[in-house]
Amino acid sequence: MADKSKLWYLENFNLFEGLDQSNMERLNTITTMQDVPKSQPIYFAQDPSNSIFFLKKGRVKLTRTSPDGKEMIIALINPGDVFGEMSIVEDSQRTDYAITMDESLICAISKNDFRDFIEKNPSLNLKLTKLIGFRMRKYTERIEGLVFKDAYQRVVSFLINLAEDQGKRIGDEIFIKPFLKHQDIASLTACSRQTVNSILTKLREDGLIDFDRRKLIIKDKNSLQKMAL
Amino acid sequence: MADKSKLWYLENFNLFEGLDQSNMERLNTITTMQDVPKSQPIYFAQDPSNSIFFLKKGRVKLTRTSPDGKEMIIALINPGDVFGEMSIVEDSQRTDYAITMDESLICAISKNDFRDFIEKNPSLNLKLTKLIGFRMRKYTERIEGLVFKDAYQRVVSFLINLAEDQGKRIGDEIFIKPFLKHQDIASLTACSRQTVNSILTKLREDGLIDFDRRKLIIKDKNSLQKMAL
DNA sequence: ATCTGTTTGTCATTAGTACGACATTTTCTT
DNA sequence: AAGAAAATGTCGTACTAATGACAAACAGAT
């Protein structure tokens, strides 16, 4: 789409572009590809973190759970995205839980293999740092949202981001296809399912969006942007 | 102190340890040291980010401001800490605002010099990535706190972290000396000044802490830890 | 020592959201 | 096709924490 945000491009820069043929082949030998059905865990919290993943196809969500069982979604992973990359930096355990939201095709590299590979391709180092730096920026924005914005603004901001990440512009409207459950939006925006519902309903009444169980249409992104501040 | 958290050590690992003499000297030539009075800005949001800093002495806070003027403190910087390191990763502008809280001694390296220096000392690359990775972990924890914890738990968690970072154990108690204004704690824990006050007062009534304008004493860290969950 | 601005302490009021409850609709399973 | 399970829509109630207002304590400057 024409107006994908700059951030989108940063997010989706190919970690491996610019590698020569022989390295690509070497890369191929150290990765394993796997078809994973819907709603299958990839890894759990406290698992030793010894792989880094690339999502080829499908959707994955990364979550954390509070001591009393509430779920918070840290990130939605789309095709082309890397996840679990903290394993490269730290030897410790995973702090999040990764689960497919659709049938997915996932590519894995063991931490050690990847480290060796980086050693031989130092240009990856900067890219990886940039990737992590980019994640950090997103986290900062998230924190800022939680601190400065109310539930309404958080949900609206989320919709805008979603539209920029995975929307398809058709005429004046932006379509987002495999739409999320209200509970998922709630877990992403730190409010309750019911609050999400009432906000979405209000936005629909006001003609800013339209939605049903499987798609979302942003009808007036400009106005949304104004209210998200 | 005996029980400084593991995270503390990660945070304070010396970016430059292990460098040989000639590199240390080279490093010395590209850094500038500066004595900065209390309450002096180091950089502003939107400034071009072209330096990385090390705090030798004093205290610095990094903040962000909401459109309507509310302040959020992103981090407190203590002697030995690096800050502004995102400039290495990204060419863009600063998103935060750095200001001294006390008279401080600050060491600066220009982004370009630092990049050159890294080029010649690739081991720094991994360290830098780890530093950023560590920051990221902290941010994740912050997000989790905002989502899962209420104001009470957030303030208590903050006190515990503060104690671990800069407390001095004396007998059974932990002393924290240049204590923060309630407004600062509020900006760090995402609640109002008045809420912080009432929480601290309650904790004092319950005999878990003691405090006045310039010092804080943690009297029962265990109990605090239990309530922070 | 006094004046001035800052920080703290305390209160009453209000706003924003969570939560529980339940009906309705949709989707999945067999 | 029918029954079960999941997701949505809509209430009312309850509670947490923000806000505004003000007095008291303190700190810095002259």
Side-chain angles (χ1 to χ4, degrees), chain A residues 10 64-67 70-72 74 85-86 89-92 95 125-126 128-130 132-133 135-137 139-140 142-144 146-148 190 229, chain B residues 10 64-67 70-72 74 85-86 89-92 95 125-126 128-130 132-133 135-137 139-140 142-144 146-148 190 229:
Chain A
L10 279 171
R64 281 178 172 234
T65 307
S66 77
K70 271 201 298 188
E71 180 194 61
M72 156 177 112
I74 299 170
E85 77 282 351
M86 283 291 282
V89 165
E90 287 198 305
D91 290 299
S92 51
T95 51
N125 224 323
L126 181 61
L128 188 65
T129 310
K130 285 203 177 191
I132 293 178
R135 293 266 197 275
M136 195 140 103
R137 183 96 87 66
Y139 279 10
T140 319
R142 188 103 173 249
I143 295 175
E144 208 175 308
L146 288 167
V147 173
F148 292 146
L229 216 158
Chain B
L10 279 171
R64 281 177 171 236
T65 309
S66 78
K70 269 200 298 187
E71 180 194 63
M72 155 176 114
I74 300 171
E85 77 281 351
M86 281 293 281
V89 164
E90 286 198 307
D91 289 300
S92 52
T95 52
N125 224 323
L126 180 61
L128 188 64
T129 310
K130 285 202 177 192
I132 293 178
R135 293 267 195 275
M136 195 140 103
R137 183 95 88 66
Y139 279 13
T140 320
R142 188 102 174 247
I143 295 174
E144 210 176 306
L146 288 167
V147 173
F148 292 146
L229 216 158

Side-chain angles (χ1 to χ4, degrees), chain B residues 71-202:
Chain B
E71 180 194 63
M72 155 176 114
I73 299 183
I74 300 171
L76 299 177
I77 308 297
N78 292 302
D81 291 347
V82 179
F83 65 101
E85 77 281 351
M86 281 293 281
S87 61
I88 305 304
V89 164
E90 286 198 307
D91 289 300
S92 52
Q93 307 164 321
R94 319 223 83 122
T95 52
D96 52 351
Y97 164 60
I99 184 173
T100 55
M101 302 175 78
D102 292 317
E103 197 203 355
S104 301
L105 195 56
I106 295 169
C107 187
I109 307 184
S110 96
K111 180 175 65 180
N112 293 331
D113 286 348
F114 194 62
R115 278 185 177 159
D116 290 349
F117 190 73
I118 287 180
E119 197 117 341
K120 289 175 193 102
N121 298 273
S123 74
L124 274 184
N125 224 323
L126 180 61
K127 282 195 177 176
L128 188 64
T129 310
K130 285 202 177 192
L131 175 67
I132 293 178
F134 173 71
R135 293 267 195 275
M136 195 140 103
R137 183 95 88 66
K138 267 202 159 168
Y139 279 13
T140 320
E141 274 167 28
R142 188 102 174 247
I143 295 174
E144 210 176 306
L146 288 167
V147 173
F148 292 146
K149 292 176 179 167
D150 61 19
Y152 207 89
Q153 293 172 309
R154 290 202 302 277
V155 171
V156 170
S157 303
F158 166 74
L159 294 179
I160 293 170
N161 285 335
L162 193 67
E164 287 178 347
D165 271 13
Q166 20 185 322
K168 297 196 196 326
R169 157 154 266 140
I170 299 181
D172 275 354
E173 303 182 327
I174 303 172
F175 284 70
I176 300 157
K177 253 272 282 293
F179 194 48
L180 297 154
K181 297 188 294 206
H182 292 183
Q183 180 57 63
D184 285 331
I185 302 175
S187 302
L188 278 155
T189 56
C191 55
S192 72
R193 196 213 100 221
Q194 294 93 321
T195 299
V196 169
N197 181 274
S198 88
I199 292 169
L200 290 180
T201 304
K202 180 76 169 57

Side-chain angles (χ1 to χ4, degrees), chain B residues 3 156-157 159-160 163 169-176 203-204 206-210 216-228:
Chain B
D3 65 347
V156 170
S157 303
L159 294 179
I160 293 170
R169 157 154 266 140
I170 299 181
D172 275 354
E173 303 182 327
I174 303 172
F175 284 70
I176 300 157
L203 290 171
R204 179 162 56 189
D206 295 349
L208 298 170
I209 66 171
D210 197 6
L216 166 72
I217 304 173
I218 307 284
K219 301 174 79 172
D220 188 347
K221 194 179 159 198
N222 281 344
S223 302
L224 286 177
Q225 248 151 353
K226 264 172 223 143
M227 40 190 290

Side-chain angles (χ1 to χ4, degrees), chain A residues 144-178:
Chain A
E144 208 175 308
L146 288 167
V147 173
F148 292 146
K149 292 176 179 167
D150 61 18
Y152 206 88
Q153 294 172 308
R154 290 201 303 276
V155 171
V156 170
S157 303
F158 166 74
L159 294 178
I160 292 170
N161 284 336
L162 193 67
E164 288 177 346
D165 271 13
Q166 21 185 323
K168 298 197 194 324
R169 156 153 265 140
I170 299 180
D172 275 354
E173 302 183 327
I174 303 171
F175 285 70
I176 299 157
K177 256 273 281 292

